[in-house]
Structures are given as structure tokens and as C-alpha cells.
């Protein structure tokens, strides 16, 4: 077996490191927002996948997913209870584990190439970054329109790299973060500090993330936005009658009507009925004049 095809960690260590890495990614996301942990998390996750087959990659990837999603989706249990929380976190973890298989197979495929060659130092990080980002895109769109919150780029909102997103979008920033982590790992596999030239791809990514300025823009004037939070009974298990949410939202909106603004924003779920329904005036208890003013 080629040296680059051998696992870097024994089974027990790979499972433990996967769990730690998954929890670290949750700490990197808001509200904690320790953005440097993203690079630690991704690098550790890749370490656990090197030398694994499809089954092994599925297992360690799922462990990572469980550690991440069980903490990242804890709020689901607050509003829906423990069963939906466990079900959603479990589904996302399994999908994450499935997405780990191509990454592990990419490492197996590339093991035939020498550690300090262009394939290992340039092509492999780009491939790994693409596979990681592809998993994010798929899970952000499927199933049931997906769950797009768990993206690497979103963890960098408080870091030094948000300007990059103005050029690449969140998906592009996720790709660059994953490529940078993969390139750093490949440098380590090529000999680390004993072969400093092998660090060039990782250094280019890092310097690029730091130095790229924000996309140039010009002043196009001002845009005044107002927003209203009616605090209606919008929880899944709140006791409410039809129209109560809209009643609370319109009542909270009346005081700001007439103030100078270009856009008035309501939160999602503010309208809990079809306003075009012919019988809605006789059923719902809200300020019809306020609704007419809004429409």
C-alpha cells in the first residue's frame, strides 16, 4: 500500500477526532463565532478521512455530523421537542457522512502521486475543496429545500476574510476555506517544515484571503428601511386562533405608518391567512385600514 494511502489515525482516534472537529465547527458559527476553529475543524475532519474506504468515511463523517448538528440545531428542540430535533440532526448527519465518501475516495485516488508533486499540493486541495463545497450546496438545497445555514463561509463573518465573499459569495468563500485547509494538510503530509516550498499553495490561499479588498462599489444614495416585530403567537405550539399573528403584526405596524421609509419589513410568518379570501374580513380581528395602507 502506498504511504499516502494509509490512514493517519487508528479507528478509535479517528472517531474521537471527528466528534471534536464537529463540535469545533459549531463553536465557529454564530452565536459563539470563534471563526479560527473552522480551519481547525475542517483540517481535523480531512485527517480522519485519509486512508478510509467508503464505509469508514461514512462512519467518521456521520460522527462529525452528529457532533455538529446535534449542537447546531439545539434550538429545534426548544420549539418542536426532542424527537424532531434528533430526527433532523440525524438526517443531516447521515447526509454529511454520505458526502464524506467522495472526499475519502479522492484521497485514495491521489495516493499514487508523489507527496511533493503538483497533483498532491495543488490539484488535490482544489478537488477536496470542491467536494466539500458541493456537499454544502446539495445539503443547502435538498431535501425539502435543504438546510443552508451550515456553510464554512458563514463562520467567517467576524473574521478577517468577509471581503472575499463580496467577490465569490458565501459558496466561494467556503471553497477557499476548504482548499486552504486541504492545502495545509498536504503540506504536512509532504514533510511540513522540512520542505517549506511545499507550503506555497497553502500560503497563496492564506495571503489571498487576507489581502483581497472588498468589491468596489459607488454611492447610489440612501435607502431607509423600517421593520416591525409584532411578537404574535408564532411558536409551533402556541395557542392561537386564525388571524392572531396578523392581528399582532398589524397592531405593531400602525405606530410606524406615515414615517419616512422606502421599505417596511415584516418577519417570515407574519401573515397567517390569505388576504385575498372573500370572507377574511368577517373572520379575522385586525386593523383593516392598516392592512389597506400597507397594500
Amino acid at each position: 500500500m502506498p504511504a499516502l494511502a494509509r490512514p493517519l489515525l487508528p479507528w478509535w482516534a479517528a472517531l474521537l477526532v471527528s466528534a471534536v472537529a464537529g463540535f469545533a465547527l459549531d463553536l465557529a458559527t454564530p452565536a459563539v463565532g470563534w471563526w479560527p476553529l473552522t480551519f481547525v475543524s475542517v483540517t481535523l475532519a480531512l485527517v480522519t478521512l485519509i486512508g478510509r474506504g467508503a464505509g469508514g468515511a461514512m462512519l467518521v463523517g456521520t460522527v462529525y455530523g452528529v457532533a455538529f448538528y446535534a449542537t447546531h440545531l439545539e434550538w429545534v428542540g426548544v420549539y418542536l421537542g426532542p424527537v424532531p430535533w434528533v430526527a433532523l440532526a440525524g438526517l443531516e448527519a447521515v447526509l454529511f457522512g454520505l458526502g464524506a465518501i467522495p472526499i475519502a475516495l479522492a484521497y485514495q485516488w491521489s495516493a499514487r502521486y508523489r507527496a511533493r508533486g503538483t497533483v498532491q499540493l495543488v490539484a488535490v486541495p482544489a478537488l477536496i475543496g470542491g467536494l466539500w463545497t458541493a456537499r454544502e450546496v446539495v445539503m443547502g438545497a435538498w431535501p425539502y429545500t435543504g438546510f443552508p445555514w451550515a456553510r464554512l463561509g458563514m463562520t467567517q463573518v467576524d473574521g478577517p476574510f468577509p471581503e472575499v465573499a463580496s467577490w465569490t459569495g458565501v459558496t466561494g468563500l467556503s471553497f477557499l476555506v476548504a482548499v486552504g485547509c486541504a492545502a495545509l494538510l498536504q503540506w504536512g503530509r509532504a514533510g511540513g517544515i522540512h520542505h517549506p516550498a511545499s507550503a506555497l499553495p497553502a500560503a497563496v490561499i492564506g495571503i489571498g484571503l487576507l489581502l483581497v479588498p472588498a468589491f468596489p462599489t459607488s454611492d447610489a444614495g440612501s435607502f431607509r428601511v423600517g421593520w416591525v416585530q409584532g411578537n404574535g403567537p408564532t411558536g409551533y405550539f402556541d395557542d392561537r386562533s386564525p388571524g392572531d399573528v396578523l392581528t399582532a403584526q398589524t397592531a405593531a405596524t400602525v405606530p410606524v405608518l406615515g414615517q419616512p421609509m422606502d421599505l417596511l419589513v415584516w418577519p417570515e410568518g407574519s401573515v397567517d391567512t390569505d388576504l385575498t379570501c372573500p370572507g377574511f374580513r368577517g373572520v379575522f380581528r385586525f386593523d383593516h385600514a392598516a392592512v389597506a395602507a400597507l397594500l
Side-chain angles (χ1 to χ4, degrees):
M1 175 184 295
L4 292 179
R6 299 185 187 123
L8 297 181
L9 297 173
W11 269 112
W12 66 269
L15 296 175
L16 178 61
V17 169
S18 289
V20 171
F23 182 65
L25 185 61
D26 178 64
L27 293 177
T29 60
V32 178
W34 294 346
W35 61 267
L37 287 181
T38 299
F39 297 88
V40 176
S41 174
V42 174
T43 303
L44 290 179
L46 298 179
V47 166
T48 66
L49 293 175
I50 292 175
R52 306 291 174 201
M58 174 73 183
L59 179 58
V60 296
T62 301
V63 168
Y64 181 106
V66 168
F68 172 67
Y69 286 104
T71 50
H72 193 62
L73 299 179
E74 187 179 6
W75 57 270
V76 175
V78 175
Y79 295 101
L80 297 180
V83 174
W85 169 42
V86 172
L88 179 58
L91 172 62
E92 294 297 312
V94 170
L95 294 176
F96 194 91
L98 287 171
I101 295 175
I103 296 176
L105 295 181
Y107 278 122
Q108 281 194 0
W109 163 81
S110 64
R112 71 190 76 174
Y113 298 97
R114 61 189 185 90
R116 301 184 190 97
T118 303
V119 171
Q120 290 289 355
L121 297 177
V122 178
V124 170
L127 176 59
I128 298 302
L131 292 172
W132 188 294
T133 308
R135 174 174 56 187
E136 285 190 353
V137 172
V138 171
M139 293 181 66
W142 183 88
Y144 307 113
T145 72
F147 190 80
W149 294 3
R151 296 191 174 188
L152 300 181
M154 293 180 177
T155 67
Q156 303 303 300
V157 62
D158 293 322
F161 313 128
E163 291 83 1
V164 178
S166 66
W167 293 88
T168 67
V170 174
T171 299
L173 182 54
S174 290
F175 172 74
L176 292 173
V177 169
V179 171
C181 292
L184 186 64
L185 178 56
Q186 293 302 92
W187 171 53
R189 299 176 76 197
I193 59 175
H194 299 294
H195 295 276
S198 301
L200 183 60
V204 168
I205 294 293
I207 294 172
L209 288 173
L210 283 171
L211 298 184
V212 169
F215 188 86
T217 59
S218 58
D219 189 355
S222 62
F223 191 79
R224 189 178 180 91
V225 179
W227 64 90
V228 175
Q229 174 58 267
N231 293 324
T234 56
Y236 288 101
F237 300 116
D238 285 351
D239 183 17
R240 63 176 179 267
S241 299
D244 284 351
V245 176
L246 184 57
T247 297
Q249 194 65 27
T250 54
T253 301
V254 170
V256 303
L257 291 179
Q259 295 188 25
M261 68 182 77
D262 299 295
L263 176 68
L264 178 63
V265 179
W266 280 11
E268 61 178 324
S270 296
V271 180
D272 57 346
T273 182
D274 182 2
L275 297 181
T276 65
C277 176
F280 81 92
R281 287 179 178 270
V283 177
F284 302 121
R285 307 178 306 282
F286 52 75
D287 189 327
H288 299 288
V291 171
L294 291 172
L295 296 177

